[in-house]
Amino acid sequence: MAGYAKPLPEITDESRPFWEGCRRHEFLVQRCRACGARQHYPRGVCAACWRDDLEWLPSAGRGRIYSFTVTHRTQARGFRDELPYVLAWVELDEGVQVLTNVVGCDPAAVRVGLAVRVTFEDVTPEISIPRFTPVS
Amino acid sequence: MTHALIAGVHEFPERKTARSVLEIQALSARAALDDAGLEPKDVDGYFTVAGNPGVGPLATVDYLNLTPRHVDGTTIGGSSFVAHVNHAAAAIAGGRCRVALITYGSTSRSSGVAVGTRERISGEYVDQFEALYGISTVGLYALIAQRHMHEYGTTGAQLAEIAVACRRHAGLNPVALYRDPITVDDVLRSPMISSPLHLLDCCVITDGGGALVVVHPDLARDLRKPPVRLLGSAEAVAHTAAGRRDYLVSAAAQTGPRAFAAAGVSPADVAMAMIYDSFTITVLVTLEDLGFCKKGEGGAFVGGGRLQLGGALPINTDGGGLSSNHPGMRGIFLVIEAVKQLRGEGGARQVPDCRVALVHGTGGAFGTRHSGATLVLGAA
Ligand SMILES: [Zn+2]
């Protein structure tokens, strides 16, 4: 999609399953087959036991805002033309925190604890960006 | 037991300079050695951050024509130079060097670097899950301020008290960048940068640099001034923890108890504190975690003039990063000002009867991953 001015993820083999899930509009959370730990951000090894026996499970994509900030000034590419925008930590119902944007609402209406669900923006033929929006 | 002494310090006084990053460090090193009564030939340990052109240890030892027998390039953000003091003490105690030089230089202001609001890209694996959401340093601290307000009812006016204290102290420092007094209302009326942090909740952007000389206790008699003693120190990190983190607890919750225990003192013994103030919220959370007040009570603690000269715990008597200088990695200035206070060289901003000072550096971002380094320092 020409004209997407924000930073794009540099996908590596390590992270490819996560981004392929996003392309299908599925938010995947890793779980370790060896020790059972769930984790985000995704990586090639379990952050609890450092083994590489991980499975990718679809999240329900629902959670609550742990914290947020409405950004009024930034030099960040793409974002400086869309002020203000909301940066947030969202805690998924599966128990892991996700750094993200909250979109599809007035930034002034965002609160800690607000229930949100994942939404995907298809920005290139390969890449869809997960963001969160209030549950209506 | 004192493992090391801080024998010499120097802060490069300019806030915008025509000097290079290397010149700033060399001139600061010369002045810190003069302060200590030592010479370049005495230096056998060297410490600086790795990374940017002109500031890596190989570039600087080459420029300084220095051939130390111990080199350390620890780079953990703005706290690095505080950690360097700890590492220098360990190297001295281990017999690896006797006179350690620590230097820093930066031309952030004259190079036009927007330290707080620029796009935060590290070049690391994790960028692909973070940079795409428009993160900046101020945004990553604002997330902590918002959560603290939610959990504990902390207010913007309470955070502003920290900026007001630093500005009052800056008024007593002839080389501070901003010296005119400000009020809580001034902070709250300044432009919102990343809610709930206003412009005056954020550190300034300057050029700058400095140097420290840390020496073996045996050298005490050869020094020009009474040296400052390193009584205790600790370092720690806190990060995204695989997606399960309490972001209101900083690395200082680990370093504070360890450094106080090593020094054999408690927060009540501290006459003044130099607390890394990238943003007002950085100070509030750090004071809680170091044990100056309970978690969640920082908002009430920082009010009533407590942090100002004449209060129970004056902080950042040079004006801090909020009003004096912040070239990007402020840790070295925390040590420099604490040493001046412990020597009684504070002039108009001297804390009376200053026998124990605390230094805490924070590097990185509270909202993702950061380091903390604490020093407890004692007068000679
Ligand atoms: Zn595991």
Side-chain angles (χ1 to χ4, degrees), chain B residues 133-169:
Chain B
Y133 297 120
I135 63 170
S136 58
T137 303
V138 56
L140 292 175
Y141 281 86
L143 289 169
I144 306 312
Q146 190 73 59
R147 180 77 193 183
H148 205 281
M149 289 177 171
H150 171 81
E151 287 267 338
Y152 301 117
T154 309
T155 67
Q158 290 173 329
L159 288 175
E161 294 277 5
I162 295 162
V164 169
C166 289
R167 182 61 65 88
R168 183 176 156 228
H169 299 158

PDB file of all heavy atoms in Angstrom, chain B residues 133-169:
ATOM      1  N   TYR B 133       4.914   1.684  16.337  1.00  0.00           N
ATOM      2  CA  TYR B 133       3.809   2.339  17.043  1.00  0.00           C
ATOM      3  C   TYR B 133       4.105   3.782  17.424  1.00  0.00           C
ATOM      4  O   TYR B 133       3.371   4.378  18.203  1.00  0.00           O
ATOM      5  CB  TYR B 133       3.436   1.515  18.279  1.00  0.00           C
ATOM      6  CG  TYR B 133       2.933   0.139  17.896  1.00  0.00           C
ATOM      7  CD1 TYR B 133       3.586  -1.000  18.330  1.00  0.00           C
ATOM      8  CD2 TYR B 133       1.823   0.002  17.073  1.00  0.00           C
ATOM      9  CE1 TYR B 133       3.141  -2.261  17.962  1.00  0.00           C
ATOM     10  CE2 TYR B 133       1.378  -1.254  16.692  1.00  0.00           C
ATOM     11  CZ  TYR B 133       2.029  -2.382  17.138  1.00  0.00           C
ATOM     12  OH  TYR B 133       1.580  -3.628  16.762  1.00  0.00           O
ATOM     13  N   GLY B 134       5.196   4.338  16.889  1.00  0.00           N
ATOM     14  CA  GLY B 134       5.464   5.758  17.129  1.00  0.00           C
ATOM     15  C   GLY B 134       5.963   6.030  18.536  1.00  0.00           C
ATOM     16  O   GLY B 134       5.440   6.891  19.232  1.00  0.00           O
ATOM     17  N   ILE B 135       6.994   5.260  18.961  1.00  0.00           N
ATOM     18  CA  ILE B 135       7.485   5.453  20.320  1.00  0.00           C
ATOM     19  C   ILE B 135       8.583   6.505  20.347  1.00  0.00           C
ATOM     20  O   ILE B 135       9.349   6.672  19.409  1.00  0.00           O
ATOM     21  CB  ILE B 135       7.989   4.138  20.957  1.00  0.00           C
ATOM     22  CG1 ILE B 135       9.180   3.577  20.192  1.00  0.00           C
ATOM     23  CG2 ILE B 135       6.868   3.131  21.055  1.00  0.00           C
ATOM     24  CD1 ILE B 135       9.851   2.442  20.920  1.00  0.00           C
ATOM     25  N   SER B 136       8.623   7.257  21.434  1.00  0.00           N
ATOM     26  CA  SER B 136       9.682   8.221  21.704  1.00  0.00           C
ATOM     27  C   SER B 136      10.036   8.063  23.180  1.00  0.00           C
ATOM     28  O   SER B 136       9.287   7.438  23.942  1.00  0.00           O
ATOM     29  CB  SER B 136       9.190   9.640  21.433  1.00  0.00           C
ATOM     30  OG  SER B 136       8.058   9.918  22.243  1.00  0.00           O
ATOM     31  N   THR B 137      11.156   8.637  23.565  1.00  0.00           N
ATOM     32  CA  THR B 137      11.570   8.491  24.964  1.00  0.00           C
ATOM     33  C   THR B 137      10.528   9.095  25.896  1.00  0.00           C
ATOM     34  O   THR B 137      10.138   8.482  26.903  1.00  0.00           O
ATOM     35  CB  THR B 137      12.944   9.148  25.178  1.00  0.00           C
ATOM     36  OG1 THR B 137      13.869   8.548  24.263  1.00  0.00           O
ATOM     37  CG2 THR B 137      13.445   8.940  26.596  1.00  0.00           C
ATOM     38  N   VAL B 138      10.035  10.282  25.563  1.00  0.00           N
ATOM     39  CA  VAL B 138       9.047  10.921  26.442  1.00  0.00           C
ATOM     40  C   VAL B 138       7.779  10.081  26.533  1.00  0.00           C
ATOM     41  O   VAL B 138       7.186   9.924  27.601  1.00  0.00           O
ATOM     42  CB  VAL B 138       8.760  12.381  26.019  1.00  0.00           C
ATOM     43  CG1 VAL B 138       8.313  12.484  24.582  1.00  0.00           C
ATOM     44  CG2 VAL B 138       7.723  13.018  26.933  1.00  0.00           C
ATOM     45  N   GLY B 139       7.361   9.471  25.421  1.00  0.00           N
ATOM     46  CA  GLY B 139       6.168   8.627  25.438  1.00  0.00           C
ATOM     47  C   GLY B 139       6.330   7.432  26.368  1.00  0.00           C
ATOM     48  O   GLY B 139       5.390   7.043  27.078  1.00  0.00           O
ATOM     49  N   LEU B 140       7.513   6.854  26.380  1.00  0.00           N
ATOM     50  CA  LEU B 140       7.751   5.664  27.201  1.00  0.00           C
ATOM     51  C   LEU B 140       7.810   5.987  28.693  1.00  0.00           C
ATOM     52  O   LEU B 140       7.601   5.109  29.526  1.00  0.00           O
ATOM     53  CB  LEU B 140       9.040   4.962  26.752  1.00  0.00           C
ATOM     54  CG  LEU B 140       8.943   4.329  25.352  1.00  0.00           C
ATOM     55  CD1 LEU B 140      10.291   3.773  24.922  1.00  0.00           C
ATOM     56  CD2 LEU B 140       7.884   3.238  25.301  1.00  0.00           C
ATOM     57  N   TYR B 141       8.102   7.231  29.050  1.00  0.00           N
ATOM     58  CA  TYR B 141       8.009   7.648  30.449  1.00  0.00           C
ATOM     59  C   TYR B 141       6.597   8.121  30.783  1.00  0.00           C
ATOM     60  O   TYR B 141       6.121   7.945  31.906  1.00  0.00           O
ATOM     61  CB  TYR B 141       9.051   8.725  30.767  1.00  0.00           C
ATOM     62  CG  TYR B 141      10.432   8.150  30.987  1.00  0.00           C
ATOM     63  CD1 TYR B 141      11.293   7.926  29.925  1.00  0.00           C
ATOM     64  CD2 TYR B 141      10.861   7.789  32.256  1.00  0.00           C
ATOM     65  CE1 TYR B 141      12.554   7.379  30.114  1.00  0.00           C
ATOM     66  CE2 TYR B 141      12.114   7.245  32.464  1.00  0.00           C
ATOM     67  CZ  TYR B 141      12.961   7.043  31.393  1.00  0.00           C
ATOM     68  OH  TYR B 141      14.192   6.491  31.591  1.00  0.00           O
ATOM     69  N   ALA B 142       5.914   8.715  29.798  1.00  0.00           N
ATOM     70  CA  ALA B 142       4.533   9.156  30.013  1.00  0.00           C
ATOM     71  C   ALA B 142       3.633   7.972  30.369  1.00  0.00           C
ATOM     72  O   ALA B 142       2.705   8.104  31.176  1.00  0.00           O
ATOM     73  CB  ALA B 142       4.016   9.872  28.767  1.00  0.00           C
ATOM     74  N   LEU B 143       3.913   6.806  29.774  1.00  0.00           N
ATOM     75  CA  LEU B 143       3.134   5.602  30.109  1.00  0.00           C
ATOM     76  C   LEU B 143       3.212   5.291  31.598  1.00  0.00           C
ATOM     77  O   LEU B 143       2.233   4.838  32.210  1.00  0.00           O
ATOM     78  CB  LEU B 143       3.670   4.390  29.320  1.00  0.00           C
ATOM     79  CG  LEU B 143       3.410   4.364  27.812  1.00  0.00           C
ATOM     80  CD1 LEU B 143       4.236   3.257  27.156  1.00  0.00           C
ATOM     81  CD2 LEU B 143       1.926   4.152  27.523  1.00  0.00           C
ATOM     82  N   ILE B 144       4.373   5.528  32.201  1.00  0.00           N
ATOM     83  CA  ILE B 144       4.558   5.251  33.624  1.00  0.00           C
ATOM     84  C   ILE B 144       3.808   6.290  34.457  1.00  0.00           C
ATOM     85  O   ILE B 144       3.159   5.970  35.454  1.00  0.00           O
ATOM     86  CB  ILE B 144       6.065   5.252  33.971  1.00  0.00           C
ATOM     87  CG1 ILE B 144       6.828   4.292  33.067  1.00  0.00           C
ATOM     88  CG2 ILE B 144       6.266   4.943  35.448  1.00  0.00           C
ATOM     89  CD1 ILE B 144       6.227   2.925  32.919  1.00  0.00           C
ATOM     90  N   ALA B 145       3.893   7.551  34.028  1.00  0.00           N
ATOM     91  CA  ALA B 145       3.201   8.619  34.759  1.00  0.00           C
ATOM     92  C   ALA B 145       1.692   8.368  34.766  1.00  0.00           C
ATOM     93  O   ALA B 145       1.022   8.508  35.793  1.00  0.00           O
ATOM     94  CB  ALA B 145       3.528   9.973  34.135  1.00  0.00           C
ATOM     95  N   GLN B 146       1.147   7.974  33.611  1.00  0.00           N
ATOM     96  CA  GLN B 146      -0.300   7.721  33.512  1.00  0.00           C
ATOM     97  C   GLN B 146      -0.719   6.579  34.424  1.00  0.00           C
ATOM     98  O   GLN B 146      -1.737   6.660  35.129  1.00  0.00           O
ATOM     99  CB  GLN B 146      -0.650   7.372  32.058  1.00  0.00           C
ATOM    100  CG  GLN B 146      -2.124   7.315  31.770  1.00  0.00           C
ATOM    101  CD  GLN B 146      -2.740   8.697  31.729  1.00  0.00           C
ATOM    102  OE1 GLN B 146      -2.328   9.539  30.933  1.00  0.00           O
ATOM    103  NE2 GLN B 146      -3.693   8.961  32.579  1.00  0.00           N
ATOM    104  N   ARG B 147       0.053   5.511  34.430  1.00  0.00           N
ATOM    105  CA  ARG B 147      -0.271   4.356  35.276  1.00  0.00           C
ATOM    106  C   ARG B 147      -0.152   4.723  36.762  1.00  0.00           C
ATOM    107  O   ARG B 147      -0.962   4.290  37.593  1.00  0.00           O
ATOM    108  CB  ARG B 147       0.668   3.190  34.928  1.00  0.00           C
ATOM    109  CG  ARG B 147       0.418   1.941  35.747  1.00  0.00           C
ATOM    110  CD  ARG B 147      -0.813   1.182  35.273  1.00  0.00           C
ATOM    111  NE  ARG B 147      -1.209   0.159  36.240  1.00  0.00           N
ATOM    112  CZ  ARG B 147      -2.218  -0.693  36.063  1.00  0.00           C
ATOM    113  NH1 ARG B 147      -2.945  -0.638  34.961  1.00  0.00           N
ATOM    114  NH2 ARG B 147      -2.510  -1.572  36.976  1.00  0.00           N
ATOM    115  N   HIS B 148       0.856   5.523  37.100  1.00  0.00           N
ATOM    116  CA  HIS B 148       1.036   5.944  38.500  1.00  0.00           C
ATOM    117  C   HIS B 148      -0.163   6.778  38.950  1.00  0.00           C
ATOM    118  O   HIS B 148      -0.668   6.619  40.070  1.00  0.00           O
ATOM    119  CB  HIS B 148       2.335   6.738  38.641  1.00  0.00           C
ATOM    120  CG  HIS B 148       2.917   6.713  40.026  1.00  0.00           C
ATOM    121  ND1 HIS B 148       2.440   7.508  41.041  1.00  0.00           N
ATOM    122  CD2 HIS B 148       3.923   5.983  40.559  1.00  0.00           C
ATOM    123  CE1 HIS B 148       3.146   7.263  42.144  1.00  0.00           C
ATOM    124  NE2 HIS B 148       4.047   6.347  41.884  1.00  0.00           N
ATOM    125  N   MET B 149      -0.632   7.658  38.080  1.00  0.00           N
ATOM    126  CA  MET B 149      -1.818   8.465  38.394  1.00  0.00           C
ATOM    127  C   MET B 149      -3.039   7.572  38.615  1.00  0.00           C
ATOM    128  O   MET B 149      -3.834   7.792  39.530  1.00  0.00           O
ATOM    129  CB  MET B 149      -2.079   9.460  37.265  1.00  0.00           C
ATOM    130  CG  MET B 149      -1.049  10.577  37.207  1.00  0.00           C
ATOM    131  SD  MET B 149      -1.353  11.687  35.808  1.00  0.00           S
ATOM    132  CE  MET B 149      -0.173  13.001  36.193  1.00  0.00           C
ATOM    133  N   HIS B 150      -3.154   6.539  37.762  1.00  0.00           N
ATOM    134  CA  HIS B 150      -4.294   5.628  37.879  1.00  0.00           C
ATOM    135  C   HIS B 150      -4.237   4.833  39.176  1.00  0.00           C
ATOM    136  O   HIS B 150      -5.237   4.715  39.893  1.00  0.00           O
ATOM    137  CB  HIS B 150      -4.308   4.674  36.673  1.00  0.00           C
ATOM    138  CG  HIS B 150      -5.311   3.564  36.798  1.00  0.00           C
ATOM    139  ND1 HIS B 150      -6.646   3.748  36.519  1.00  0.00           N
ATOM    140  CD2 HIS B 150      -5.172   2.269  37.178  1.00  0.00           C
ATOM    141  CE1 HIS B 150      -7.285   2.612  36.721  1.00  0.00           C
ATOM    142  NE2 HIS B 150      -6.422   1.703  37.121  1.00  0.00           N
ATOM    143  N   GLU B 151      -3.073   4.293  39.499  1.00  0.00           N
ATOM    144  CA  GLU B 151      -2.938   3.419  40.677  1.00  0.00           C
ATOM    145  C   GLU B 151      -3.022   4.198  41.984  1.00  0.00           C
ATOM    146  O   GLU B 151      -3.601   3.735  42.953  1.00  0.00           O
ATOM    147  CB  GLU B 151      -1.589   2.688  40.645  1.00  0.00           C
ATOM    148  CG  GLU B 151      -1.498   1.581  39.628  1.00  0.00           C
ATOM    149  CD  GLU B 151      -1.853   0.217  40.203  1.00  0.00           C
ATOM    150  OE1 GLU B 151      -1.762   0.039  41.426  1.00  0.00           O
ATOM    151  OE2 GLU B 151      -2.232  -0.655  39.412  1.00  0.00           O
ATOM    152  N   TYR B 152      -2.383   5.383  42.003  1.00  0.00           N
ATOM    153  CA  TYR B 152      -2.161   6.051  43.283  1.00  0.00           C
ATOM    154  C   TYR B 152      -2.756   7.451  43.372  1.00  0.00           C
ATOM    155  O   TYR B 152      -2.572   8.122  44.391  1.00  0.00           O
ATOM    156  CB  TYR B 152      -0.656   6.117  43.571  1.00  0.00           C
ATOM    157  CG  TYR B 152      -0.007   4.750  43.610  1.00  0.00           C
ATOM    158  CD1 TYR B 152       0.987   4.396  42.692  1.00  0.00           C
ATOM    159  CD2 TYR B 152      -0.391   3.806  44.564  1.00  0.00           C
ATOM    160  CE1 TYR B 152       1.580   3.143  42.725  1.00  0.00           C
ATOM    161  CE2 TYR B 152       0.204   2.550  44.604  1.00  0.00           C
ATOM    162  CZ  TYR B 152       1.185   2.227  43.680  1.00  0.00           C
ATOM    163  OH  TYR B 152       1.769   0.984  43.715  1.00  0.00           O
ATOM    164  N   GLY B 153      -3.402   7.913  42.323  1.00  0.00           N
ATOM    165  CA  GLY B 153      -3.996   9.244  42.372  1.00  0.00           C
ATOM    166  C   GLY B 153      -2.989  10.381  42.292  1.00  0.00           C
ATOM    167  O   GLY B 153      -3.302  11.529  42.647  1.00  0.00           O
ATOM    168  N   THR B 154      -1.786  10.075  41.852  1.00  0.00           N
ATOM    169  CA  THR B 154      -0.758  11.105  41.677  1.00  0.00           C
ATOM    170  C   THR B 154      -1.253  12.144  40.669  1.00  0.00           C
ATOM    171  O   THR B 154      -1.938  11.801  39.709  1.00  0.00           O
ATOM    172  CB  THR B 154       0.532  10.435  41.170  1.00  0.00           C
ATOM    173  OG1 THR B 154       0.821   9.344  42.039  1.00  0.00           O
ATOM    174  CG2 THR B 154       1.697  11.410  41.153  1.00  0.00           C
ATOM    175  N   THR B 155      -0.911  13.419  40.895  1.00  0.00           N
ATOM    176  CA  THR B 155      -1.406  14.481  40.020  1.00  0.00           C
ATOM    177  C   THR B 155      -0.276  15.156  39.246  1.00  0.00           C
ATOM    178  O   THR B 155       0.895  15.082  39.644  1.00  0.00           O
ATOM    179  CB  THR B 155      -2.128  15.566  40.840  1.00  0.00           C
ATOM    180  OG1 THR B 155      -1.158  16.228  41.671  1.00  0.00           O
ATOM    181  CG2 THR B 155      -3.243  14.971  41.697  1.00  0.00           C
ATOM    182  N   GLY B 156      -0.679  15.843  38.185  1.00  0.00           N
ATOM    183  CA  GLY B 156       0.283  16.624  37.418  1.00  0.00           C
ATOM    184  C   GLY B 156       0.916  17.715  38.260  1.00  0.00           C
ATOM    185  O   GLY B 156       2.099  18.042  38.085  1.00  0.00           O
ATOM    186  N   ALA B 157       0.154  18.276  39.181  1.00  0.00           N
ATOM    187  CA  ALA B 157       0.682  19.326  40.053  1.00  0.00           C
ATOM    188  C   ALA B 157       1.777  18.764  40.964  1.00  0.00           C
ATOM    189  O   ALA B 157       2.762  19.447  41.265  1.00  0.00           O
ATOM    190  CB  ALA B 157      -0.442  19.932  40.886  1.00  0.00           C
ATOM    191  N   GLN B 158       1.595  17.515  41.400  1.00  0.00           N
ATOM    192  CA  GLN B 158       2.636  16.900  42.235  1.00  0.00           C
ATOM    193  C   GLN B 158       3.916  16.661  41.432  1.00  0.00           C
ATOM    194  O   GLN B 158       5.015  16.965  41.898  1.00  0.00           O
ATOM    195  CB  GLN B 158       2.105  15.587  42.836  1.00  0.00           C
ATOM    196  CG  GLN B 158       1.031  15.837  43.895  1.00  0.00           C
ATOM    197  CD  GLN B 158       0.369  14.566  44.383  1.00  0.00           C
ATOM    198  OE1 GLN B 158       0.237  13.585  43.645  1.00  0.00           O
ATOM    199  NE2 GLN B 158      -0.052  14.573  45.638  1.00  0.00           N
ATOM    200  N   LEU B 159       3.763  16.146  40.224  1.00  0.00           N
ATOM    201  CA  LEU B 159       4.945  15.969  39.371  1.00  0.00           C
ATOM    202  C   LEU B 159       5.639  17.306  39.140  1.00  0.00           C
ATOM    203  O   LEU B 159       6.872  17.403  39.135  1.00  0.00           O
ATOM    204  CB  LEU B 159       4.546  15.348  38.027  1.00  0.00           C
ATOM    205  CG  LEU B 159       4.139  13.879  38.043  1.00  0.00           C
ATOM    206  CD1 LEU B 159       3.650  13.451  36.662  1.00  0.00           C
ATOM    207  CD2 LEU B 159       5.296  12.993  38.487  1.00  0.00           C
ATOM    208  N   ALA B 160       4.835  18.354  38.970  1.00  0.00           N
ATOM    209  CA  ALA B 160       5.397  19.680  38.673  1.00  0.00           C
ATOM    210  C   ALA B 160       6.292  20.190  39.799  1.00  0.00           C
ATOM    211  O   ALA B 160       7.241  20.942  39.557  1.00  0.00           O
ATOM    212  CB  ALA B 160       4.259  20.665  38.410  1.00  0.00           C
ATOM    213  N   GLU B 161       6.009  19.767  41.038  1.00  0.00           N
ATOM    214  CA  GLU B 161       6.844  20.202  42.170  1.00  0.00           C
ATOM    215  C   GLU B 161       8.317  19.845  41.945  1.00  0.00           C
ATOM    216  O   GLU B 161       9.220  20.546  42.404  1.00  0.00           O
ATOM    217  CB  GLU B 161       6.364  19.549  43.470  1.00  0.00           C
ATOM    218  CG  GLU B 161       4.984  19.983  43.925  1.00  0.00           C
ATOM    219  CD  GLU B 161       5.000  21.297  44.689  1.00  0.00           C
ATOM    220  OE1 GLU B 161       6.072  21.934  44.801  1.00  0.00           O
ATOM    221  OE2 GLU B 161       3.915  21.679  45.182  1.00  0.00           O
ATOM    222  N   ILE B 162       8.543  18.736  41.264  1.00  0.00           N
ATOM    223  CA  ILE B 162       9.922  18.291  41.003  1.00  0.00           C
ATOM    224  C   ILE B 162      10.607  19.264  40.040  1.00  0.00           C
ATOM    225  O   ILE B 162      11.757  19.665  40.248  1.00  0.00           O
ATOM    226  CB  ILE B 162       9.901  16.854  40.444  1.00  0.00           C
ATOM    227  CG1 ILE B 162       9.369  15.899  41.527  1.00  0.00           C
ATOM    228  CG2 ILE B 162      11.288  16.434  39.956  1.00  0.00           C
ATOM    229  CD1 ILE B 162       8.903  14.555  40.997  1.00  0.00           C
ATOM    230  N   ALA B 163       9.890  19.669  39.001  1.00  0.00           N
ATOM    231  CA  ALA B 163      10.443  20.628  38.047  1.00  0.00           C
ATOM    232  C   ALA B 163      10.691  21.980  38.702  1.00  0.00           C
ATOM    233  O   ALA B 163      11.693  22.658  38.419  1.00  0.00           O
ATOM    234  CB  ALA B 163       9.493  20.782  36.853  1.00  0.00           C
ATOM    235  N   VAL B 164       9.782  22.370  39.594  1.00  0.00           N
ATOM    236  CA  VAL B 164       9.924  23.656  40.296  1.00  0.00           C
ATOM    237  C   VAL B 164      11.172  23.641  41.186  1.00  0.00           C
ATOM    238  O   VAL B 164      11.944  24.616  41.219  1.00  0.00           O
ATOM    239  CB  VAL B 164       8.655  23.946  41.131  1.00  0.00           C
ATOM    240  CG1 VAL B 164       8.873  25.120  42.084  1.00  0.00           C
ATOM    241  CG2 VAL B 164       7.471  24.216  40.198  1.00  0.00           C
ATOM    242  N   ALA B 165      11.403  22.521  41.875  1.00  0.00           N
ATOM    243  CA  ALA B 165      12.583  22.405  42.748  1.00  0.00           C
ATOM    244  C   ALA B 165      13.870  22.507  41.934  1.00  0.00           C
ATOM    245  O   ALA B 165      14.801  23.237  42.290  1.00  0.00           O
ATOM    246  CB  ALA B 165      12.534  21.085  43.521  1.00  0.00           C
ATOM    247  N   CYS B 166      13.911  21.777  40.833  1.00  0.00           N
ATOM    248  CA  CYS B 166      15.128  21.803  40.004  1.00  0.00           C
ATOM    249  C   CYS B 166      15.383  23.208  39.461  1.00  0.00           C
ATOM    250  O   CYS B 166      16.519  23.674  39.432  1.00  0.00           O
ATOM    251  CB  CYS B 166      15.015  20.794  38.868  1.00  0.00           C
ATOM    252  SG  CYS B 166      15.130  19.078  39.437  1.00  0.00           S
ATOM    253  N   ARG B 167      14.296  23.892  39.025  1.00  0.00           N
ATOM    254  CA  ARG B 167      14.488  25.233  38.474  1.00  0.00           C
ATOM    255  C   ARG B 167      14.986  26.205  39.533  1.00  0.00           C
ATOM    256  O   ARG B 167      15.821  27.069  39.260  1.00  0.00           O
ATOM    257  CB  ARG B 167      13.197  25.739  37.832  1.00  0.00           C
ATOM    258  CG  ARG B 167      13.330  27.120  37.194  1.00  0.00           C
ATOM    259  CD  ARG B 167      14.366  27.136  36.069  1.00  0.00           C
ATOM    260  NE  ARG B 167      13.953  26.297  34.961  1.00  0.00           N
ATOM    261  CZ  ARG B 167      13.196  26.723  33.952  1.00  0.00           C
ATOM    262  NH1 ARG B 167      12.814  27.977  33.908  1.00  0.00           N
ATOM    263  NH2 ARG B 167      12.847  25.894  32.992  1.00  0.00           N
ATOM    264  N   ARG B 168      14.482  26.064  40.757  1.00  0.00           N
ATOM    265  CA  ARG B 168      14.968  26.954  41.816  1.00  0.00           C
ATOM    266  C   ARG B 168      16.472  26.757  42.019  1.00  0.00           C
ATOM    267  O   ARG B 168      17.233  27.707  42.143  1.00  0.00           O
ATOM    268  CB  ARG B 168      14.216  26.684  43.124  1.00  0.00           C
ATOM    269  CG  ARG B 168      14.658  27.653  44.192  1.00  0.00           C
ATOM    270  CD  ARG B 168      13.917  27.559  45.505  1.00  0.00           C
ATOM    271  NE  ARG B 168      14.810  28.099  46.536  1.00  0.00           N
ATOM    272  CZ  ARG B 168      15.075  27.513  47.696  1.00  0.00           C
ATOM    273  NH1 ARG B 168      14.475  26.387  48.008  1.00  0.00           N
ATOM    274  NH2 ARG B 168      15.908  28.060  48.535  1.00  0.00           N
ATOM    275  N   HIS B 169      16.907  25.519  41.993  1.00  0.00           N
ATOM    276  CA  HIS B 169      18.336  25.246  42.171  1.00  0.00           C
ATOM    277  C   HIS B 169      19.144  25.747  40.972  1.00  0.00           C
ATOM    278  O   HIS B 169      20.247  26.257  41.131  1.00  0.00           O
ATOM    279  CB  HIS B 169      18.554  23.753  42.395  1.00  0.00           C
ATOM    280  CG  HIS B 169      17.867  23.240  43.628  1.00  0.00           C
ATOM    281  ND1 HIS B 169      17.542  21.921  43.813  1.00  0.00           N
ATOM    282  CD2 HIS B 169      17.414  23.899  44.728  1.00  0.00           C
ATOM    283  CE1 HIS B 169      16.938  21.778  44.978  1.00  0.00           C
ATOM    284  NE2 HIS B 169      16.841  22.961  45.541  1.00  0.00           N
TER     285      HIS B 169
END
